[in-house]
Short mmCIF file of all heavy atoms in Angstrom, two decimals:
data_model
loop_
_atom_site.label_atom_id
_atom_site.label_comp_id
_atom_site.label_asym_id
_atom_site.label_seq_id
_atom_site.Cartn_x
_atom_site.Cartn_y
_atom_site.Cartn_z
N VAL A 1 -3.97 -9.28 -13.61
CA VAL A 1 -5.00 -9.04 -12.59
C VAL A 1 -4.54 -9.63 -11.26
O VAL A 1 -4.70 -9.02 -10.19
CB VAL A 1 -6.36 -9.65 -13.01
CG1 VAL A 1 -7.36 -9.54 -11.86
CG2 VAL A 1 -6.91 -8.94 -14.24
N LEU A 2 -3.94 -10.82 -11.33
CA LEU A 2 -3.46 -11.47 -10.11
C LEU A 2 -2.30 -10.69 -9.50
O LEU A 2 -2.18 -10.61 -8.26
CB LEU A 2 -3.01 -12.89 -10.43
CG LEU A 2 -4.10 -13.80 -11.01
CD1 LEU A 2 -3.54 -15.18 -11.30
CD2 LEU A 2 -5.27 -13.91 -10.05
N ARG A 3 -1.44 -10.10 -10.34
CA ARG A 3 -0.36 -9.27 -9.82
C ARG A 3 -0.94 -8.04 -9.11
O ARG A 3 -0.43 -7.61 -8.08
CB ARG A 3 0.59 -8.86 -10.93
CG ARG A 3 1.36 -10.01 -11.55
CD ARG A 3 2.49 -9.51 -12.42
NE ARG A 3 3.46 -8.75 -11.64
CZ ARG A 3 4.43 -9.28 -10.91
NH1 ARG A 3 4.56 -10.60 -10.85
NH2 ARG A 3 5.25 -8.52 -10.23
N ASN A 4 -2.01 -7.48 -9.68
CA ASN A 4 -2.67 -6.35 -9.03
C ASN A 4 -3.30 -6.76 -7.70
O ASN A 4 -3.27 -6.01 -6.73
CB ASN A 4 -3.75 -5.77 -9.94
CG ASN A 4 -3.21 -4.73 -10.90
OD1 ASN A 4 -2.03 -4.38 -10.87
ND2 ASN A 4 -4.05 -4.22 -11.77
N THR A 5 -3.87 -7.98 -7.68
CA THR A 5 -4.46 -8.47 -6.43
C THR A 5 -3.39 -8.60 -5.35
O THR A 5 -3.60 -8.17 -4.20
CB THR A 5 -5.12 -9.86 -6.66
OG1 THR A 5 -5.97 -9.79 -7.79
CG2 THR A 5 -5.93 -10.27 -5.45
N ALA A 6 -2.25 -9.17 -5.73
CA ALA A 6 -1.16 -9.32 -4.77
C ALA A 6 -0.63 -7.96 -4.34
O ALA A 6 -0.38 -7.72 -3.14
CB ALA A 6 -0.03 -10.15 -5.40
N TYR A 7 -0.48 -7.05 -5.28
CA TYR A 7 0.00 -5.69 -4.96
C TYR A 7 -0.97 -5.01 -3.99
O TYR A 7 -0.55 -4.41 -3.00
CB TYR A 7 0.11 -4.88 -6.25
CG TYR A 7 0.58 -3.45 -6.05
CD1 TYR A 7 1.92 -3.12 -6.23
CD2 TYR A 7 -0.31 -2.44 -5.69
CE1 TYR A 7 2.35 -1.80 -6.04
CE2 TYR A 7 0.11 -1.15 -5.50
CZ TYR A 7 1.44 -0.83 -5.69
OH TYR A 7 1.86 0.47 -5.49
N TRP A 8 -2.26 -5.09 -4.29
CA TRP A 8 -3.27 -4.40 -3.48
C TRP A 8 -3.30 -4.94 -2.05
O TRP A 8 -3.44 -4.17 -1.09
CB TRP A 8 -4.64 -4.54 -4.13
CG TRP A 8 -5.74 -3.78 -3.46
CD1 TRP A 8 -6.79 -4.30 -2.78
CD2 TRP A 8 -5.90 -2.36 -3.42
NE1 TRP A 8 -7.61 -3.30 -2.32
CE2 TRP A 8 -7.08 -2.10 -2.70
CE3 TRP A 8 -5.17 -1.29 -3.92
CZ2 TRP A 8 -7.55 -0.80 -2.47
CZ3 TRP A 8 -5.63 0.00 -3.69
CH2 TRP A 8 -6.80 0.24 -2.97
N SER A 9 -3.17 -6.24 -1.92
CA SER A 9 -3.17 -6.85 -0.59
C SER A 9 -1.99 -6.34 0.24
O SER A 9 -2.12 -6.10 1.45
CB SER A 9 -3.11 -8.38 -0.69
OG SER A 9 -4.26 -8.87 -1.34
N LEU A 10 -0.84 -6.19 -0.40
CA LEU A 10 0.34 -5.66 0.30
C LEU A 10 0.20 -4.17 0.56
O LEU A 10 0.54 -3.68 1.64
CB LEU A 10 1.61 -5.93 -0.53
CG LEU A 10 2.00 -7.40 -0.70
CD1 LEU A 10 3.13 -7.54 -1.71
CD2 LEU A 10 2.42 -8.00 0.65
N TRP A 11 -0.30 -3.42 -0.42
CA TRP A 11 -0.41 -1.97 -0.28
C TRP A 11 -1.38 -1.59 0.84
O TRP A 11 -1.16 -0.61 1.56
CB TRP A 11 -0.88 -1.36 -1.61
CG TRP A 11 -0.88 0.15 -1.59
CD1 TRP A 11 0.16 0.97 -1.85
CD2 TRP A 11 -1.99 0.99 -1.28
NE1 TRP A 11 -0.22 2.29 -1.73
CE2 TRP A 11 -1.55 2.33 -1.37
CE3 TRP A 11 -3.32 0.76 -0.92
CZ2 TRP A 11 -2.37 3.43 -1.13
CZ3 TRP A 11 -4.15 1.85 -0.67
CH2 TRP A 11 -3.68 3.15 -0.79
N LYS A 12 -2.43 -2.38 1.02
CA LYS A 12 -3.44 -2.05 2.04
C LYS A 12 -2.92 -2.18 3.46
O LYS A 12 -3.55 -1.70 4.40
CB LYS A 12 -4.67 -2.94 1.86
CG LYS A 12 -5.53 -2.54 0.67
CD LYS A 12 -6.88 -3.20 0.72
CE LYS A 12 -7.74 -2.59 1.81
NZ LYS A 12 -9.12 -3.06 1.76
N THR A 13 -1.75 -2.81 3.62
CA THR A 13 -1.19 -2.90 4.98
C THR A 13 -0.72 -1.55 5.48
O THR A 13 -0.49 -1.37 6.67
CB THR A 13 -0.01 -3.88 5.00
OG1 THR A 13 1.03 -3.42 4.12
CG2 THR A 13 -0.45 -5.27 4.57
N GLY A 14 -0.52 -0.59 4.56
CA GLY A 14 -0.11 0.75 4.97
C GLY A 14 1.38 0.94 5.11
O GLY A 14 1.84 2.01 5.53
N ARG A 15 2.18 -0.07 4.76
CA ARG A 15 3.64 0.01 4.95
C ARG A 15 4.36 0.58 3.73
O ARG A 15 5.55 0.84 3.79
CB ARG A 15 4.20 -1.38 5.24
CG ARG A 15 3.74 -1.99 6.54
CD ARG A 15 4.22 -3.43 6.71
NE ARG A 15 5.66 -3.53 6.53
CZ ARG A 15 6.24 -4.21 5.55
NH1 ARG A 15 5.49 -4.81 4.65
NH2 ARG A 15 7.55 -4.28 5.46
N TYR A 16 3.67 0.75 2.62
CA TYR A 16 4.37 1.06 1.38
C TYR A 16 4.09 2.44 0.82
O TYR A 16 4.56 2.78 -0.25
CB TYR A 16 4.02 0.01 0.32
CG TYR A 16 4.48 -1.37 0.70
CD1 TYR A 16 3.61 -2.26 1.34
CD2 TYR A 16 5.78 -1.79 0.46
CE1 TYR A 16 4.03 -3.52 1.70
CE2 TYR A 16 6.21 -3.06 0.82
CZ TYR A 16 5.33 -3.92 1.44
OH TYR A 16 5.75 -5.16 1.80
N GLY A 17 3.30 3.24 1.48
CA GLY A 17 3.02 4.58 0.99
C GLY A 17 1.52 4.82 0.89
O GLY A 17 0.71 4.04 1.40
N THR A 18 1.16 5.92 0.23
CA THR A 18 -0.25 6.31 0.14
C THR A 18 -0.72 6.49 -1.30
O THR A 18 -1.83 6.93 -1.53
CB THR A 18 -0.47 7.64 0.89
OG1 THR A 18 0.42 8.64 0.35
CG2 THR A 18 -0.19 7.48 2.38
N ASP A 19 0.12 6.18 -2.27
CA ASP A 19 -0.22 6.36 -3.68
C ASP A 19 -0.11 5.03 -4.41
O ASP A 19 0.98 4.63 -4.81
CB ASP A 19 0.71 7.40 -4.31
CG ASP A 19 0.37 7.67 -5.77
OD1 ASP A 19 -0.67 7.16 -6.24
OD2 ASP A 19 1.14 8.39 -6.44
N TYR A 20 -1.25 4.36 -4.59
CA TYR A 20 -1.19 3.03 -5.22
C TYR A 20 -0.97 3.09 -6.73
O TYR A 20 -0.87 2.07 -7.39
CB TYR A 20 -2.45 2.21 -4.91
CG TYR A 20 -3.77 2.88 -5.23
CD1 TYR A 20 -4.20 3.03 -6.55
CD2 TYR A 20 -4.59 3.35 -4.22
CE1 TYR A 20 -5.41 3.62 -6.84
CE2 TYR A 20 -5.81 3.95 -4.50
CZ TYR A 20 -6.21 4.09 -5.81
OH TYR A 20 -7.41 4.68 -6.10
N TRP A 21 -0.88 4.30 -7.29
CA TRP A 21 -0.53 4.42 -8.70
C TRP A 21 0.98 4.40 -8.91
O TRP A 21 1.46 4.10 -10.01
CB TRP A 21 -1.09 5.72 -9.30
CG TRP A 21 -2.58 5.75 -9.39
CD1 TRP A 21 -3.43 6.50 -8.65
CD2 TRP A 21 -3.41 4.98 -10.28
NE1 TRP A 21 -4.73 6.26 -9.00
CE2 TRP A 21 -4.75 5.33 -10.00
CE3 TRP A 21 -3.15 4.03 -11.27
CZ2 TRP A 21 -5.83 4.77 -10.69
CZ3 TRP A 21 -4.22 3.48 -11.95
CH2 TRP A 21 -5.54 3.85 -11.66
N ASN A 22 1.75 4.76 -7.89
CA ASN A 22 3.20 4.91 -8.07
C ASN A 22 4.05 4.21 -7.02
O ASN A 22 5.26 4.05 -7.24
CB ASN A 22 3.56 6.41 -8.06
CG ASN A 22 2.89 7.16 -9.20
OD1 ASN A 22 3.12 6.87 -10.37
ND2 ASN A 22 2.05 8.14 -8.85
N ASP A 23 3.50 3.83 -5.89
CA ASP A 23 4.31 3.20 -4.84
C ASP A 23 4.92 1.89 -5.35
O ASP A 23 4.22 1.05 -5.92
CB ASP A 23 3.46 2.91 -3.60
CG ASP A 23 3.03 4.18 -2.90
OD1 ASP A 23 3.75 5.18 -3.02
OD2 ASP A 23 1.97 4.17 -2.24
N VAL A 24 6.22 1.72 -5.14
CA VAL A 24 6.93 0.53 -5.60
C VAL A 24 6.84 -0.55 -4.52
O VAL A 24 7.25 -0.33 -3.38
CB VAL A 24 8.40 0.84 -5.92
CG1 VAL A 24 9.13 -0.44 -6.36
CG2 VAL A 24 8.50 1.90 -7.01
N ILE A 25 6.32 -1.71 -4.91
CA ILE A 25 6.20 -2.85 -3.98
C ILE A 25 6.73 -4.09 -4.70
O ILE A 25 6.46 -4.30 -5.88
CB ILE A 25 4.73 -3.09 -3.56
CG1 ILE A 25 4.17 -1.84 -2.86
CG2 ILE A 25 4.63 -4.29 -2.63
CD1 ILE A 25 2.71 -1.96 -2.48
N ASN A 26 7.49 -4.89 -3.98
CA ASN A 26 8.02 -6.13 -4.54
C ASN A 26 6.95 -7.22 -4.44
O ASN A 26 6.57 -7.63 -3.36
CB ASN A 26 9.29 -6.56 -3.80
CG ASN A 26 9.99 -7.70 -4.49
OD1 ASN A 26 9.66 -8.86 -4.29
ND2 ASN A 26 10.96 -7.35 -5.32
N VAL A 27 6.46 -7.65 -5.60
CA VAL A 27 5.41 -8.67 -5.68
C VAL A 27 6.00 -9.93 -6.29
O VAL A 27 6.41 -9.93 -7.45
CB VAL A 27 4.22 -8.18 -6.51
CG1 VAL A 27 3.15 -9.27 -6.60
CG2 VAL A 27 3.64 -6.90 -5.93
N SER A 28 6.06 -10.99 -5.51
CA SER A 28 6.59 -12.28 -5.98
C SER A 28 7.96 -12.14 -6.62
O SER A 28 8.24 -12.72 -7.67
CB SER A 28 5.62 -12.92 -6.98
OG SER A 28 4.38 -13.16 -6.39
N GLY A 29 8.81 -11.32 -6.01
CA GLY A 29 10.19 -11.19 -6.48
C GLY A 29 10.40 -10.16 -7.56
O GLY A 29 11.53 -9.96 -8.01
N VAL A 30 9.34 -9.47 -8.01
CA VAL A 30 9.47 -8.45 -9.05
C VAL A 30 8.88 -7.14 -8.55
O VAL A 30 7.77 -7.12 -8.01
CB VAL A 30 8.75 -8.88 -10.35
CG1 VAL A 30 8.79 -7.78 -11.39
CG2 VAL A 30 9.38 -10.15 -10.90
N ASP A 31 9.63 -6.04 -8.73
CA ASP A 31 9.14 -4.74 -8.32
C ASP A 31 8.01 -4.28 -9.23
O ASP A 31 8.12 -4.35 -10.46
CB ASP A 31 10.26 -3.70 -8.35
CG ASP A 31 11.14 -3.79 -7.11
OD1 ASP A 31 10.81 -4.61 -6.24
OD2 ASP A 31 12.13 -3.05 -7.01
N GLN A 32 6.93 -3.81 -8.62
CA GLN A 32 5.80 -3.30 -9.37
C GLN A 32 5.55 -1.87 -8.92
O GLN A 32 5.23 -1.61 -7.76
CB GLN A 32 4.56 -4.18 -9.12
CG GLN A 32 3.35 -3.79 -9.96
CD GLN A 32 2.23 -4.80 -9.82
OE1 GLN A 32 2.48 -6.02 -9.75
NE2 GLN A 32 0.99 -4.33 -9.81
N ALA A 33 5.69 -0.92 -9.85
CA ALA A 33 5.55 0.51 -9.53
C ALA A 33 4.09 0.92 -9.68
O ALA A 33 3.68 1.51 -10.69
CB ALA A 33 6.45 1.35 -10.43
N GLY A 34 3.28 0.57 -8.72
CA GLY A 34 1.86 0.91 -8.75
C GLY A 34 1.02 -0.17 -9.39
O GLY A 34 1.53 -1.13 -9.98
N LEU A 35 -0.29 -0.01 -9.30
CA LEU A 35 -1.21 -0.95 -9.92
C LEU A 35 -1.06 -0.89 -11.44
O LEU A 35 -0.90 0.20 -12.00
CB LEU A 35 -2.65 -0.63 -9.54
CG LEU A 35 -3.07 -0.91 -8.09
CD1 LEU A 35 -4.45 -0.34 -7.82
CD2 LEU A 35 -3.04 -2.40 -7.78
N MET A 36 -1.12 -2.04 -12.09
CA MET A 36 -1.03 -2.06 -13.55
C MET A 36 -2.34 -1.55 -14.14
O MET A 36 -3.41 -2.05 -13.79
CB MET A 36 -0.75 -3.48 -14.04
CG MET A 36 0.60 -3.99 -13.64
SD MET A 36 0.89 -5.63 -14.34
CE MET A 36 2.51 -5.96 -13.64
N PRO A 37 -2.27 -0.57 -15.05
CA PRO A 37 -3.50 0.03 -15.61
C PRO A 37 -4.14 -0.84 -16.69
O PRO A 37 -4.30 -0.43 -17.83
CB PRO A 37 -2.99 1.35 -16.18
CG PRO A 37 -1.59 1.04 -16.60
CD PRO A 37 -1.06 0.06 -15.58
N ILE A 38 -4.50 -2.05 -16.33
CA ILE A 38 -5.08 -2.97 -17.30
C ILE A 38 -6.58 -2.69 -17.45
O ILE A 38 -7.23 -2.27 -16.49
CB ILE A 38 -4.87 -4.44 -16.86
CG1 ILE A 38 -5.36 -4.63 -15.42
CG2 ILE A 38 -3.43 -4.84 -16.98
CD1 ILE A 38 -5.20 -6.02 -14.91
N PRO A 39 -7.14 -2.89 -18.64
CA PRO A 39 -8.58 -2.69 -18.81
C PRO A 39 -9.38 -3.75 -18.07
O PRO A 39 -8.91 -4.87 -17.91
CB PRO A 39 -8.78 -2.81 -20.33
CG PRO A 39 -7.65 -3.67 -20.79
CD PRO A 39 -6.49 -3.35 -19.89
N MET A 40 -10.56 -3.36 -17.61
CA MET A 40 -11.43 -4.31 -16.94
C MET A 40 -12.51 -4.78 -17.90
O MET A 40 -13.21 -3.95 -18.50
CB MET A 40 -12.08 -3.67 -15.71
CG MET A 40 -11.22 -3.71 -14.47
SD MET A 40 -12.11 -3.14 -13.01
CE MET A 40 -12.15 -1.39 -13.32
N ALA A 41 -12.62 -6.10 -18.03
CA ALA A 41 -13.64 -6.65 -18.93
C ALA A 41 -15.03 -6.18 -18.54
O ALA A 41 -15.89 -5.94 -19.39
CB ALA A 41 -13.57 -8.18 -18.92
#
Protein backbone atom coordinates (compact mmCIF):
# COMPACT_ATOMS: atom_id res chain seq x y z
CA VAL A 1 0.00 0.00 0.00
CA LEU A 2 2.88 2.33 0.84
CA ARG A 3 4.54 1.56 -2.51
CA ASN A 4 1.26 2.49 -4.19
CA THR A 5 1.13 5.71 -2.17
CA ALA A 6 4.64 6.61 -3.29
CA TYR A 7 3.86 5.66 -6.90
CA TRP A 8 0.64 7.70 -6.92
CA SER A 9 2.35 10.79 -5.52
CA LEU A 10 4.94 10.62 -8.31
CA TRP A 11 2.42 9.75 -11.04
CA LYS A 12 0.20 12.72 -10.17
CA THR A 13 2.99 15.11 -11.12
CA GLY A 14 2.16 14.34 -14.75
CA ARG A 15 5.75 13.51 -15.76
CA TYR A 16 5.34 9.76 -16.16
CA GLY A 17 2.41 9.24 -18.52
CA THR A 18 -1.37 8.99 -18.38
CA ASP A 19 -1.95 5.31 -17.53
CA TYR A 20 -1.42 4.52 -13.86
CA TRP A 21 -2.04 0.82 -14.54
CA ASN A 22 1.03 0.46 -16.76
CA ASP A 23 3.31 3.51 -16.52
CA VAL A 24 6.74 2.51 -15.20
CA ILE A 25 7.98 4.69 -12.33
CA ASN A 26 11.05 4.16 -10.17
CA VAL A 27 9.85 4.05 -6.55
CA SER A 28 12.57 3.96 -3.87
CA GLY A 29 15.07 2.45 -6.29
CA VAL A 30 12.74 -0.21 -7.74
CA ASP A 31 10.77 0.07 -10.98
CA GLN A 32 7.04 -0.32 -10.50
CA ALA A 33 4.97 -0.92 -13.65
CA GLY A 34 1.70 0.67 -12.54
CA LEU A 35 -0.22 0.54 -9.30
CA MET A 36 -0.09 -2.83 -7.57
CA PRO A 37 -3.53 -4.49 -7.80
CA ILE A 38 -3.71 -5.32 -4.11
CA PRO A 39 -7.10 -5.95 -2.45
CA MET A 40 -8.49 -3.24 -0.22
CA ALA A 41 -9.57 -4.30 3.25
